[in-house]
Amino acid sequence: MASAAAGDGSLLATERYGSAERWRYYSREGGMERRREGGEGQQQRGNSLVGAFKSVFLPQGYPDSVSPDYLHYQLWDTAQAFSSSLSGTLATQASLRGAGVGDQEATVAAATITWLLRDGTGMLGRIVFAWWKGIKLDSEAKKWRLFADVLNDMAMFMEILAPYFPPFYTLIVCTAGVFKALVGVAGGATRAALTVHQARRDNLADISAKDGSQETLVNLAGLLLSLLLIPLVTDNPPLTLGLFFLFTVLHLFSNYKAVSSVVMETLNESRLSIVLRHYLRDGRVLTPPEANQREPVFFEFKKSVAVKLGVRLQEVVQSREELSLALRRHHQPFLLGVKNGCVCVCLGSTASVHDEIRAACQALWISSALTSRTPGGPQHSHWELVHESHQLMDSTFATFLKGLEAAGWDLRRTLLDWDEWRVDWKTKHN
């Protein structure tokens, strides 16, 4: 094609718009002629309504400017937002009826007080939850994203049931308000964490803006369908509950598929544990898609020894002798110990990201060893396990780290839950 075109004039320049369009400029009769690669039919399709839709609702430079999992996640996220919008309509109608809308005996003051109490308790819940679990919302974005939507469905279910329990209406509505406040914090924070993952050109604002446009479009569609649903469900509790459960199932399934489709290239505790266990067992480092596929998206309640990263020195050692044990035969910028049923890591001020990954690997290995202990089996002291973890990492970590890089993991940063304590210690105790 290029040789045929060159018969009309020489090629002067080429240009492209991401991976969506490619153009060539040829000299022609003293001027320039611009031709699109792929022919006129492709150009017409590019100027179609689909092209305009993409321009309005997808980030600039899509798909090159976002992560590979962007479209899959957004499609399922759109489905969950649509079903949530319909469930919200049913819950709002029930709340208004419970507050006295349509009841001649109800007073404006009573309804206002109920709404103020609901909003007030929700504000307090938002502050407490952000303080309590704020750091976890980055490292466990998938789990908290799904948790937020489950909690949102619970809150709406409570709002639907509240009118049928008049003596407890205010208590139920206030509890639902607290749940929705937690949803607002967890949902907003995890959405921000996922946006950081999706943004491949530092285009967080564009992705957030387009996500808002997508959500607005979905809510508009939900609003139109809600106008048809309201006359049907009014004064019809069985139909209201039936539709709510239908939308809830769709909502939760869509959310599960959405968070399961996310492929994070940064290591958190769960993904690092999965990759490390597989490497120590089979000698191969899992790629990000493989590890993310195995990462649980629901909170697990199985019994395991907890890991605490970045703790104070006194949470690792409480005497000069223990400090000597912690420092014995190793010179890493971190200390490990087991206190009060937890594996604790004290981080030095000079520790790098690679040091953080190694410390977390050792802590996870110790946690796994303690969890798998059998009551009647041989028991090793905690310090023996610490020294065994150092020996294991001395022989395997360099190769493991190279394997992580080769597999495509981003080692410039991590999503491990490090607290802010940093300690400098004297090494002559060993």
Side-chain angles (χ1 to χ4, degrees):
M1 174 182 174
S3 60
D8 297 334
S10 59
L11 178 65
L12 300 177
T14 62
E15 68 179 3
R16 64 185 177 86
Y17 187 82
S19 59
E21 300 181 24
R22 294 181 179 273
W23 297 82
R24 294 188 178 190
Y25 290 85
Y26 296 95
S27 64
R28 185 176 182 84
E29 298 177 357
M32 287 195 308
E33 180 181 4
R34 184 172 182 255
R35 299 179 186 176
R36 179 170 180 165
E37 293 185 12
E40 292 298 322
Q42 184 175 350
Q43 181 177 355
Q44 291 176 1
R45 288 194 297 271
N47 294 329
S48 65
L49 184 62
V50 174
F53 183 87
K54 289 181 178 179
S55 177
V56 172
F57 292 102
L58 294 176
Q60 180 177 328
Y62 171 86
D64 303 306
S65 61
V66 295
S67 60
D69 56 15
Y70 176 84
L71 183 60
H72 196 184
Y73 173 83
Q74 292 300 129
L75 289 175
W76 284 112
D77 190 56
T78 297
Q80 70 86 16
F82 181 72
S83 55
S84 180
S85 175
L86 297 176
S87 298
T89 297
L90 300 177
T92 300
Q93 185 206 35
S95 294
L96 292 174
R97 185 170 67 251
V101 175
D103 186 356
Q104 295 180 353
E105 297 181 0
T107 64
V108 174
T112 302
I113 290 174
T114 299
W115 239 246
L116 290 176
L117 288 173
R118 186 194 68 167
D119 291 346
T121 52
M123 293 174 188
L124 293 175
R126 187 179 299 116
I127 293 171
V128 172
F129 182 73
W131 160 76
W132 182 38
K133 290 293 184 181
I135 189 173
K136 294 287 186 181
L137 302 179
D138 278 308
S139 60
E140 301 288 353
K142 295 182 186 181
K143 292 180 181 179
W144 285 108
R145 182 75 175 175
L146 193 56
F147 169 82
D149 288 296
V150 172
L151 199 62
N152 189 50
D153 289 333
M154 291 176 58
M156 289 189 290
F157 182 60
M158 294 174 67
E159 290 178 340
I160 289 176
L161 293 182
Y164 303 103
F165 300 92
F168 306 100
Y169 176 79
T170 300
L171 176 62
I172 295 174
V173 169
C174 288
T175 304
V178 172
F179 285 2
K180 286 194 170 184
L182 304 189
V183 170
V185 176
T190 53
R191 175 65 251 186
L194 293 175
T195 301
V196 172
H197 158 70
Q198 292 173 339
R200 295 305 162 93
R201 292 182 180 171
D202 293 327
N203 53 340
L204 280 76
D206 185 30
I207 291 178
S208 296
K210 297 301 171 57
D211 182 67
S213 296
Q214 295 167 20
E215 186 173 349
T216 300
L217 181 64
V218 170
N219 288 336
L220 284 173
L223 177 64
L224 294 176
L225 185 56
S226 296
L227 293 176
L228 301 176
L229 286 179
I230 290 301
L232 299 177
V233 300
T234 301
D235 299 325
N236 192 339
L239 182 58
T240 299
L241 288 174
L243 289 174
F244 175 78
F245 284 120
L246 175 64
F247 296 146
T248 298
V249 170
L250 176 60
H251 180 233
L252 294 178
F253 176 75
S254 299
N255 267 293
Y256 172 77
K257 296 294 289 185
V259 297
S260 298
S261 70
V262 175
V263 179
M264 307 282 278
E265 296 92 356
T266 46
L267 292 165
N268 65 357
E269 184 177 317
S270 180
R271 290 187 287 274
L272 180 59
S273 178
I274 292 169
V275 174
L276 179 64
R277 284 200 311 267
H278 190 273
Y279 176 77
L280 294 177
R281 185 178 67 247
D282 299 334
R284 184 177 73 87
V285 175
L286 296 175
T287 63
E290 291 173 330
N292 278 266
Q293 187 177 19
R294 304 181 187 195
E295 180 185 10
V297 295
F298 292 101
F299 286 106
E300 298 177 302
F301 299 99
K302 62 181 182 180
K303 185 178 180 181
S304 61
V305 177
V307 172
K308 297 171 66 176
L309 305 174
V311 301
R312 294 171 294 183
L313 180 62
Q314 68 180 24
E315 295 186 52
V316 177
V317 297
Q318 296 179 339
S319 68
R320 183 186 181 92
E321 290 72 22
E322 287 191 337
L323 180 58
S324 297
L325 287 172
L327 290 170
R328 190 180 66 185
R329 295 198 302 270
H330 87 92
H331 302 282
Q332 298 297 331
F334 56 84
L335 299 176
L336 294 104
V338 180
K339 295 293 180 183
N340 301 321
C342 295
V343 182
C344 300
V345 183
C346 183
L347 194 65
S349 59
T350 61
S352 65
V353 175
H354 290 178
D355 294 326
E356 293 179 3
I357 295 174
R358 169 167 173 160
C361 286
Q362 293 186 217
L364 290 170
W365 182 85
I366 296 171
S367 172
S368 178
L370 291 172
T371 302
S372 59
R373 273 184 172 180
T374 55
Q379 303 293 314
H380 300 282
S381 73
H382 297 158
W383 293 116
E384 288 177 351
L385 285 175
V386 170
H387 298 320
E388 285 181 27
S389 73
H390 282 299
Q391 294 172 356
L392 176 66
M393 287 296 114
D394 285 342
S395 61
T396 62
F397 184 71
T399 306
F400 178 62
L401 197 64
K402 291 179 180 178
L404 290 173
E405 293 176 333
W409 291 97
D410 182 3
L411 303 182
R412 295 170 297 178
R413 64 187 185 92
T414 69
L415 291 175
L416 299 168
D417 291 333
W418 287 100
D419 207 343
E420 295 302 312
W421 293 101
R422 298 294 181 269
V423 182
D424 294 310
W425 52 82
K426 297 180 180 180
T427 59
K428 62 182 180 181
H429 291 285
N430 58 340

